[in-house]
Amino acid sequence: NSVLDPSTYVFGVEVDGDFKAYPRETLPEGSTTDTVGGASITITKTASGIVTITDADGNTIPDVEGFWFSWVAAHPETELWTN
């Protein structure tokens, strides 16, 4: 894992037992496609910073928003998204 500043705000997701974190500051506005747990997901960020994460069928995937130190402590095996 790359190491982020502990206070970096992230959006964390879990898909089929795999975890991934998306730093708010580096996540671009608009739609970003990624893969977590072998599944294709889409992360959509609005101009106001609202993030929605959906699977390939358009179903919302719940995310956990918070600071990197908290997310990585709970999910040490997490992947970290980089753009």
Side-chain angles (χ1 to χ4, degrees), residues 8-14 19-27 43-45 49-53 62-68 71 78-81:
T8 299
Y9 196 85
V10 298
F11 302 95
V13 296
E14 181 265 327
F19 300 92
K20 198 159 196 175
Y22 297 85
R24 177 174 59 190
E25 293 303 315
T26 58
L27 193 62
I43 305 98
T44 305
K45 182 179 177 185
I50 305 295
V51 168
T52 305
I53 303 171
D63 67 297
V64 174
E65 299 182 26
F67 297 108
W68 172 245
W71 176 258
T78 195
E79 286 185 71
L80 178 61
W81 177 83

Side-chain angles (χ1 to χ4, degrees), residues 34-51:
D34 197 21
T35 303
V36 180
S40 179
I41 67 168
T42 301
I43 305 98
T44 305
K45 182 179 177 185
T46 66
S48 60
I50 305 295
V51 168

